[in-house]
Amino acid sequence: MYNFKRGSRFCNLAVFFMLSIMLVFACLVTAADAKGLKTKKLNIEDLFNGKDGTMVLKNLKNDHIYIYNNERSKKMVTPESTFKVPNALIGLETSAVRDEYEVKRWDGVRREFENWNRDHSLASAMRESAIWFYQDMARDIGEIKMKKYINLMAYGNGNITGGIDIFWLNSTLKISALEQVDFMEHLIEEELPFKEKNQKTVKRMMIQEEKDDYTLHGKTGTRLSDMGLGWYVGFIESNKETWVFALNLSGTGTEAKNITLQVLKQMDIIKEHP
């Protein structure tokens, strides 16, 4: 004989289960829609002068993300000298350098940029983008520790097989513009797997411009073999909000920085004073 009470209970459970699935699905759709609403298109194609490139700009106050060339924003390319930022963090954490003021003596080898051909500290080598200093420090860090911290940071594809002192230079390590923004956001919040003092030091080393109403932190990167890849990554802080940015293009780091500054001015993030 059919047990109507048991059958009714089964039907109620089935209905409850179906309603639960529908509710979860509705929440996922709503979350996805909300996320989509926070992503806006950057109409800055004219600033690239016909060169392929992308820019990701994020407002940390409201999590709004602005993207130019969404497809390229996900493309992983070599970080070039923007890797000096994580390299400095790892160097400080592993005591490959004591602090930002520790000096390495120039080896006397004349390189392509005159301001590289002198003694440098961790901070001055960041400012002048003196590759030899950071290559020497990477050798001091060593492959095991370097790999450990790159994995802990989840930095790009994590591939350092290209060689301990060149893996970030047109080699095996690659990262996208979206990933650069994510990395910078964690640095700003001091959430990376390093001592807070080391993260504060590196952020201080990245300062490129200080005004009454904002402070600009940034790092350029250029693929020197052909000048065919340029980066500018960093963040800008004001009293009201913080914006994170990453731009790369088929050009130089100087071009990437110039375009970034134009965008920041167009969006009134940097206010031009009379």
Side-chain angles (χ1 to χ4, degrees), residues 104-131:
K104 286 183 179 291
R105 301 300 177 189
W106 177 43
D107 59 9
V109 176
R110 301 203 67 81
R111 296 174 174 87
E112 53 263 60
F113 300 103
E114 191 56 40
N115 58 6
W116 291 7
N117 300 323
R118 60 178 177 83
D119 297 346
H120 272 289
S121 66
L122 184 69
S124 69
M126 172 82 76
R127 185 171 59 251
E128 302 293 349
S129 207
I131 291 176

Side-chain angles (χ1 to χ4, degrees), residues 55-58 60 65 175-188 231 233-234 244-247:
M55 182 176 188
V56 180
L57 182 63
K58 183 175 182 179
L60 297 190
I65 301 174
I175 190 169
S176 70
L178 282 168
E179 289 171 321
Q180 289 268 32
V181 164
D182 186 58
F183 169 76
M184 283 294 160
E185 182 176 351
H186 287 302
L187 175 59
I188 292 165
W231 279 101
V233 304
V244 189
F245 55 81
L247 186 151

